Amino acid sequence: MDEKELQFAIFKLGDLEFGIDIMKVKEITRYHKISKIPGTPPFIEGVINLRGVIIPIVDLRKKFGMEPREPDKKTRIIVATILKRIAGLLVDEVIEVLRIPAENLKPPPQLGESFKADFLSGVAEKGEEIIFIIDFEKLLSQKEQVDFSKFHEMLSDTQMDNNKPDSEDSKQEKQYSKSTRKSSRKNKKKKSKKSGDSNEE
Amino acid sequence: MKNRKTLKTRLIFFISLLFVIFGLAFSVYFYHQTRQILQQELVKRGKTLVYDLARNSKVGFQARNKIVLKQLLEGVMDNPDVVYGMIVTEKGEVLAEEYKDERYKEEIPYVSPPSAGVKITSFKIGKEKFYDFVAPIIIPVETAINDEFLFGGQTTAPTENYSVTTPKESVQGFVRLGMSTFGISMEIKETERVGLIILIITLLLAITILYLYIEYAISPLAELTAVAKRVSTGDLTQRAEVKREDEIGLLAGVFNQMLTDIKNVIKKIQIITKKLTSLSDEVQDTAEEVYSGATAQFKAVEETGSSIEELNASMREITEKIDVLSSSSEESSSSITELTATIAEVDRNMESLSSAIEETSSSISQMTAAIKEVASHIEELFKASENTAASMNQIDKSISEIERNTNETLQLSEKVTENATRGKEAVDYTRDSIREIKQTFSEVAKAIERLNAKTEEIGSILLVIDDIAEQTNLLALNAAIIAAQAGEEGKSFAVIADEIKELVERTSLSTKEVGDLINSLREESTYAKEALEKSDEKVNKSVTLSEEAGKALEEILNSAMLSTERMKEISRSTTDQANGSHQVTESINRIVEMARKISIATKDQEAGSERILHAIEDMRQIARKVKISTKEQTQGSRQIMEAVKNINQMVHFISRSVQEQQKGVEHILDAMNRIQEITRQNQLNASSLESVVKNLNEQIEGLYEIVKYFRIEEEE
């Protein structure tokens, strides 16, 4: 059982519940004010400044074509790793971290050719409700992926002044880790945990 | 007829003169113009001729072939206007010449040759005018050489020319033509003759037409003249019969109108003259009458004068007689006056006696009347006092009733006062307690307000708790994520994170419950507050109501007290009134008694006075009889005296009037004399008037004769 147990961060968009692999999640944070940057690709809403790190934000409501909604106190940003880069996902609410046995995980339903459900990596059942497990990397189209990378490069170029060039791919990730380390130094509660996290990377 | 002829002939003469002048001017102009045109034509023709000749004679000239040239010249001379022609070399050698008349040969003047073009000059030989045309003969040099070579002529001169001047062409000779204007003159003369004939014919025609027209135009004038002549003899019935619409027709119309007007005027004059004649006859008649009347008047006036003088004399006699009568009547009058005086004295004495009796009688009857009046008055007084007594008794009764009622009312109003006082006390108490309630309400409201504030505080604390719980939840989530990422090592940490999460969930649950409680509490307090506000309003209203009630009660109390007082006063005065009325009743009863006694006494007195009255009446009648007889006597004497007086006066009057009459007669005499004079004057005036009327008559007759001269009516 232990080995075949997967963990997902469960979040809500309207009435629907979605899950995202917890290993991709860096952090869950409250809503920060999103700053618009000219020249961003259309699927990127803007950026937030999380403890000195600039993180591009994708509004999942927008991405799924749902009605936009004013942020409230339950609104969350899931900071996750996408294509080895950091991105924030704007969601209505994060409910919990759910452990799901691998057996309970089912392949996504075939919804027809017209509907592309590539981004669904599976469906899990939680009591009566159905949770859609999302692979965020597949949610972005080819072009969007390229745009996303370019945007990241642009961000890192502007931020590079303070940092030494490292391995090109994981530049931002490193930076984020660094920042969390800094912040963890300040937050004594999570100090040990965060350092462990960074060590792992 | 003479006039008419002159007018017509003059018109014709002037118009034909105009025609002639105009025709002459026109023909002169025409002649001149034609001449000029023909001359220009001639010049043009000559120019062409000489130019053609110069060109045509080039070959002959070069060859110096005189025969050819002569033939050419003769050909030109066929033209009737050309009178002479010659072809000359540059050096003046005549190659050919022709003349229509040999005399030209000597008389034509020398003309200097032109270098190029045609030269035109004009001159006169005798009366004839000539135009002279000279044209150069131009020969191209090369051809000239060729020609010379061909014809085998001299070669030296042209070669020299060639070598010296080297022109391409040169003037080697001239052609001269003369043209006479004689032919033109002839033609013009012909035209002139024809023109003259046309002019004369036109003139004749014009005169004829003019004559006819004037005849036509003037004939109505002749008619008019005839009519006018007839009218001048006095016949106004004549009318010009011209039926044309031109000026003459108009003139005839106006003339006829004028005749009609004159006729009307003369008619009127005739009528007036007739009237005048009859009037003047009448005037004459009246004048004659006036004259005869004046004469008669004169006679009558004279007669009147003499009779008035007679009257005057008889008047004087009458005056003297009347004077005698007057003196005798005055004497008789004085004796009668004396008699009258004595009778008047007797009368006066009788009068005074009668008046004394009369006075006594009247005073006694007055007294009797007064006594009667007193009796009737006393009777009335008696009745009135009885009535008064009765009504007084009634008043007495009603006053005692009022007294009783007043007392009852007084008691009632006192009771009202008492009740009002008690009511006021109760209302005051109510008001005070309501005020207390109000105060308590406001305290309660304050307490609720405080409670609300506290609740708000709890709410804010709860918000903080909620926020912390949220934060903790987030932390737990992140912790769970990190634990998961740590794998096996993080598992125990994950358990702790789960527990934290559960705690947080419980905390948020309980905070939510507390929040709900607080919300319900807030609602309740709001309700309470609203209810309080509503009851506060009601309390306020009841306070004002109770205050109003208090005021009303106070007013009632005041008025009740006032009415009680008034009642007391009324009661007091009513008692007094009752006492007074009792006394009045008593005294009235006494008056009634007395009045009865007086009434009886007065009746006795009345009977006595009646008897006295009878006696006096008898005495008065006797006195009246005596008085009447005396009065009659006095009147008789007075009448006699008055008669005598009248006679006297009448005599005076007659005397005066006779005197006045005499004066009047004298005045009349004077007037008569004046009348006589005036009448004489009248007579004279009448005779002069007669002569004037006669004169007037004669004038009118003359006028009538004149008017008669005009014949107005067709039949007359």
Side-chain angles (χ1 to χ4, degrees):
Chain A
M1 280 291 279
D2 281 4
E3 282 169 44
K4 288 185 180 174
E5 212 177 38
L6 291 167
Q7 290 192 54
F8 297 97
I10 307 301
F11 61 88
K12 256 189 160 176
L13 289 172
D15 293 335
L16 297 174
E17 289 187 359
F18 296 91
I20 185 167
D21 186 7
I22 208 160
M23 301 313 274
K24 295 272 170 74
V25 177
K26 284 283 170 198
E27 188 184 343
I28 292 163
T29 172
R30 289 190 180 197
Y31 177 76
H32 288 66
K33 187 170 168 22
I34 296 170
S35 317
K36 307 262 179 190
I37 293 179
T40 50
F43 67 96
I44 291 169
E45 193 65 19
V47 296
I48 61 164
N49 186 345
L50 188 65
R51 294 185 292 273
V53 183
I54 304 299
I55 298 169
I57 300 299
V58 177
D59 187 348
L60 278 189
R61 265 183 173 268
K62 217 181 206 175
K63 190 73 201 165
F64 290 148
M66 294 165 83
E67 286 286 304
R69 177 172 166 278
E70 278 296 304
D72 59 13
K73 65 176 190 173
K74 284 191 171 171
T75 305
R76 297 284 181 267
I77 291 166
I78 301 172
V79 181
T81 316
I82 294 159
L83 298 165
K84 294 184 181 174
R85 291 171 204 275
I86 296 293
L89 306 177
L90 188 67
V91 299
D92 288 357
E93 187 182 350
V94 174
I95 303 166
E96 59 192 336
V97 172
L98 199 66
R99 290 192 190 83
I100 297 171
E103 318 155 355
N104 286 12
L105 214 61
K106 286 170 188 169
Q110 294 301 126
L111 295 168
E113 282 177 29
S114 59
F115 184 75
K116 273 190 177 178
D118 290 350
F119 60 90
L120 289 179
S121 61
V123 173
E125 283 174 13
K126 176 194 155 194
E128 298 222 331
E129 287 172 55
I130 293 170
I131 295 165
F132 297 99
I133 308 300
I134 288 170
D135 185 348
F136 191 74
E137 284 170 15
K138 282 180 185 161
L139 196 62
L140 297 180
S141 68
Q142 211 69 30
K143 191 185 176 291
E144 281 172 340
Q145 285 180 19
V146 173
D147 285 345
F148 182 63
S149 303
K150 274 185 186 168
F151 184 66
H152 259 292
E153 271 165 38
M154 189 190 85
L155 281 179
S156 56
D157 281 348
T158 53
Q159 289 198 334
M160 253 324 76
D161 301 340
N162 314 354
N163 299 307
K164 287 166 192 172
D166 224 64
S167 90
E168 285 257 307
D169 285 343
S170 58
K171 205 183 288 168
Q172 211 210 345
E173 218 174 334
K174 287 263 169 70
Q175 197 194 327
Y176 174 76
S177 310
K178 223 181 271 172
S179 81
T180 45
R181 235 173 281 145
K182 273 180 205 165
S183 70
S184 63
R185 246 172 258 150
K186 283 172 194 168
N187 295 339
K188 282 170 188 174
K189 278 183 190 172
K190 296 173 185 177
K191 191 181 177 181
S192 56
K193 270 286 128 188
K194 290 277 169 173
S195 59
D197 181 26
S198 60
N199 286 342
E200 208 173 57
E201 282 208 19
Chain B
M1 289 305 272
K2 264 181 189 173
N3 281 342
R4 205 177 124 211
K5 257 186 181 171
T6 14
L7 181 64
K8 203 152 100 184
T9 40
R10 260 184 212 162
L11 258 172
I12 291 166
F13 175 72
F14 278 122
I15 290 168
S16 46
L17 196 69
L18 257 169
F19 263 109
V20 168
I21 289 163
F22 176 73
L24 279 176
F26 179 74
S27 55
V28 163
Y29 172 76
F30 183 73
Y31 170 78
H32 189 73
Q33 205 67 16
T34 318
R35 199 186 171 80
Q36 212 154 24
I37 288 162
L38 282 171
Q39 273 178 7
Q40 276 169 9
E41 197 60 35
L42 188 80
V43 168
K44 219 191 260 173
R45 201 141 42 99
K47 235 163 126 182
T48 324
L49 268 173
V50 82
Y51 184 72
D52 286 348
L53 185 64
R55 243 188 21 202
N56 291 336
S57 60
K58 263 179 203 168
V59 180
F61 185 81
Q62 273 173 325
R64 298 286 192 271
N65 192 333
K66 285 185 182 174
I67 295 158
V68 171
L69 291 175
K70 196 171 169 75
Q71 269 177 349
L72 274 170
L73 255 181
E74 274 173 0
V76 172
M77 289 299 285
D78 284 345
N79 201 307
D81 292 325
V82 180
V83 284
Y84 64 86
M86 56 182 77
I87 298 168
V88 193
T89 63
E90 199 186 6
K91 282 152 190 161
E93 187 191 344
V94 177
L95 293 178
E97 54 184 339
E98 285 287 327
Y99 299 97
K100 281 245 174 91
D101 198 332
E102 281 303 314
R103 68 189 165 100
Y104 298 138
K105 203 170 176 179
E106 285 91 45
E107 285 178 12
I108 53 169
Y110 171 76
V111 178
S112 62
S115 56
V118 180
K119 186 182 175 182
I120 304 161
T121 47
S122 66
F123 54 89
K124 274 186 175 174
I125 300 170
K127 281 182 179 176
E128 227 172 313
K129 195 180 177 186
F130 295 91
Y131 283 96
D132 189 87
F133 306 90
V134 182
I137 302 169
I138 299 157
I139 292 161
V141 176
E142 277 168 287
T143 37
I145 293 163
N146 285 341
D147 284 351
E148 270 170 356
F149 179 71
L150 275 170
F151 286 96
Q154 286 181 328
T155 52
T156 46
T159 321
E160 264 176 29
N161 271 349
Y162 187 72
S163 59
V164 175
T165 57
T166 60
K168 290 205 172 161
E169 47 187 28
S170 69
V171 177
Q172 299 210 340
F174 300 98
V175 175
R176 188 176 177 188
L177 282 180
M179 291 182 102
S180 166
T181 58
F182 183 71
I184 294 168
S185 305
M186 291 306 285
E187 266 176 56
I188 287 167
K189 265 175 192 162
E190 188 65 33
T191 322
E192 231 171 322
R193 208 180 305 129
V194 173
L196 216 72
I197 289 161
I198 290 167
L199 191 71
I200 288 160
I201 290 166
T202 318
L203 206 64
L204 283 173
L205 262 170
I207 286 164
T208 318
I209 290 163
L210 206 68
Y211 180 79
L212 287 173
Y213 179 72
I214 286 166
E215 191 68 43
Y216 166 74
I218 285 175
S219 62
L221 279 180
E223 168 85 22
L224 266 179
T225 316
V227 171
K229 225 168 218 173
R230 262 174 277 155
V231 169
S232 73
T233 61
D235 185 0
L236 289 173
T237 57
Q238 293 292 326
R239 289 291 179 275
E241 278 174 20
V242 178
K243 284 175 182 171
R244 271 160 54 169
E245 288 185 357
D246 55 3
E247 286 85 342
I248 289 163
L250 215 68
L251 176 65
V254 171
F255 183 69
N256 285 343
Q257 185 62 42
M258 189 183 78
L259 282 179
T260 315
D261 290 349
I262 290 170
K263 198 176 103 182
N264 288 339
V265 169
I266 285 172
K267 241 185 210 167
K268 275 180 203 162
I269 290 172
Q270 253 176 8
I271 291 161
I272 291 163
T273 320
K274 268 177 197 164
K275 273 186 196 165
L276 267 179
T277 316
S278 65
L279 275 176
S280 79
D281 284 347
E282 274 172 36
V283 169
Q284 203 175 16
D285 289 350
T286 43
E288 270 163 16
E289 270 171 38
V290 167
Y291 180 68
S292 63
T295 317
Q297 195 185 22
F298 183 62
K299 273 179 198 161
V301 166
E302 270 181 349
E303 276 171 28
T304 314
S306 61
S307 55
I308 283 171
E309 263 168 23
E310 276 171 33
L311 178 72
N312 197 11
S314 62
M315 269 299 186
R316 248 173 236 146
E317 271 174 44
I318 290 167
T319 314
E320 279 164 24
K321 280 172 187 170
I322 283 170
D323 278 345
V324 175
L325 177 70
S326 176
S327 61
S328 64
S329 90
E330 256 166 29
E331 273 170 31
S332 62
S333 171
S334 65
S335 54
I336 286 167
T337 312
E338 273 171 39
L339 173 72
T340 313
T342 48
I343 289 169
E345 229 175 57
V346 174
D347 185 42
R348 229 180 293 136
N349 290 343
M350 200 56 224
E351 192 83 25
S352 61
L353 174 67
S354 176
S355 72
I357 291 167
E358 201 73 30
E359 268 172 36
T360 315
S361 165
S362 75
S363 55
I364 284 168
S365 61
Q366 266 175 9
M367 190 185 77
T368 313
I371 287 166
K372 263 184 190 165
E373 230 176 55
V374 169
S376 71
H377 279 315
I378 282 169
E379 194 74 22
E380 272 169 35
L381 175 73
F382 177 60
K383 275 178 195 162
S385 62
E386 260 179 352
N387 281 349
T388 313
S391 47
M392 211 48 223
N393 276 336
Q394 268 177 347
I395 288 170
D396 210 26
K397 267 183 208 165
S398 58
I399 282 173
S400 29
E401 213 163 302
I402 288 168
E403 205 183 355
R404 213 173 36 247
N405 287 342
T406 312
N407 280 335
E408 273 172 36
T409 316
L410 183 64
Q411 275 170 355
L412 278 176
S413 78
E414 268 168 2
K415 241 180 222 175
V416 168
T417 315
E418 216 174 287
N419 287 340
T421 317
R422 247 182 278 152
K424 212 202 157 219
E425 273 167 19
V427 165
D428 281 347
Y429 181 71
T430 311
R431 198 183 51 199
D432 288 349
S433 35
I434 285 169
R435 270 184 191 148
E436 265 172 46
I437 290 168
K438 203 188 157 191
Q439 214 171 339
T440 324
F441 266 151
S442 65
E443 270 166 32
V444 171
K446 269 178 204 161
I448 287 169
E449 203 78 25
R450 277 200 295 276
L451 184 67
N452 257 354
K454 293 281 174 205
T455 318
E456 287 298 318
E457 267 173 45
I458 293 168
S460 61
I461 290 163
L462 264 183
L463 274 181
V464 172
I465 292 169
D466 208 34
D467 199 43
I468 290 165
E470 196 79 25
Q471 192 98 26
T472 317
N473 185 26
L474 198 66
L475 284 172
L477 263 178
N478 278 322
I481 289 162
I482 289 158
Q485 280 170 356
E488 278 304 312
E489 287 162 35
K491 223 165 201 178
S492 55
F493 186 69
V495 173
I496 294 166
D498 272 353
E499 265 169 35
I500 290 171
K501 202 187 147 194
E502 260 170 50
L503 274 174
V504 166
E505 266 165 13
R506 252 190 286 159
T507 313
S508 61
L509 254 180
S510 49
T511 49
K512 208 172 270 170
E513 271 165 28
V514 173
D516 287 349
L517 277 175
I518 283 170
N519 276 340
S520 59
L521 191 65
R522 212 179 278 159
E523 263 172 47
E524 287 303 320
S525 71
T526 315
Y527 283 142
K529 213 173 157 189
E530 272 171 25
L532 266 180
E533 269 163 16
K534 267 185 205 164
S535 40
D536 196 41
E537 251 173 61
K538 274 181 190 161
V539 166
N540 277 342
K541 219 180 245 177
S542 25
V543 167
T544 52
L545 279 175
S546 63
E547 266 165 10
E548 274 169 28
K551 264 184 211 165
L553 272 173
E554 216 156 291
E555 272 167 33
I556 290 169
L557 191 65
N558 284 343
S559 53
M561 274 167 159
L562 265 177
S563 68
T564 311
E565 236 167 85
R566 288 282 147 75
M567 276 299 162
K568 270 178 192 163
E569 274 170 30
I570 290 167
S571 166
R572 228 175 288 140
S573 51
T574 319
T575 314
D576 289 354
Q577 219 173 1
N579 287 341
S581 86
H582 275 305
Q583 279 171 8
V584 171
T585 315
E586 267 170 38
S587 48
I588 282 175
N589 283 340
R590 254 178 278 149
I591 289 169
V592 170
E593 196 62 29
M594 273 164 78
R596 198 178 289 148
K597 279 175 193 166
I598 291 168
S599 174
I600 292 161
T602 336
K603 266 174 190 161
D604 291 349
Q605 212 173 5
E606 205 183 331
S609 69
E610 202 112 319
R611 261 172 267 142
I612 293 168
L613 201 68
H614 277 298
I616 289 283
E617 189 64 28
D618 291 346
M619 194 161 71
R620 207 173 64 180
Q621 265 171 359
I622 294 160
R624 206 177 282 157
K625 275 175 196 165
V626 175
K627 194 178 150 192
I628 288 164
S629 52
T630 321
K631 237 178 208 163
E632 275 168 12
Q633 209 174 8
T634 315
Q635 258 176 352
S637 70
R638 211 176 274 157
Q639 272 168 1
I640 292 164
M641 201 177 128
E642 261 167 38
V644 170
K645 241 181 213 166
N646 280 350
I647 290 164
N648 221 352
Q649 261 176 341
M650 268 158 72
V651 168
H652 271 292
F653 273 132
I654 290 164
S655 155
R656 218 178 295 148
S657 59
V658 166
Q659 271 167 9
E660 272 167 24
Q661 223 169 359
Q662 211 171 355
K663 266 183 208 165
V665 167
E666 264 156 30
H667 278 303
I668 290 167
L669 264 176
D670 282 353
M672 273 324 285
N673 284 338
R674 256 178 280 148
I675 288 167
Q676 256 172 10
E677 237 168 88
I678 291 161
T679 315
R680 209 172 289 142
Q681 200 84 27
N682 260 3
Q683 211 175 3
L684 283 176
N685 285 345
S687 66
S688 68
L689 177 67
E690 210 182 348
S691 70
V692 168
V693 167
K694 254 177 207 162
N695 209 359
L696 177 67
N697 238 348
E698 274 165 31
Q699 294 292 331
I700 288 167
E701 254 159 45
L703 179 65
Y704 189 63
E705 282 302 308
I706 291 162
V707 172
K708 249 183 202 166
Y709 177 74
F710 290 104
R711 198 151 65 92
I712 296 162
E713 301 303 321
E714 291 273 352
E715 294 308 306
E716 285 172 35

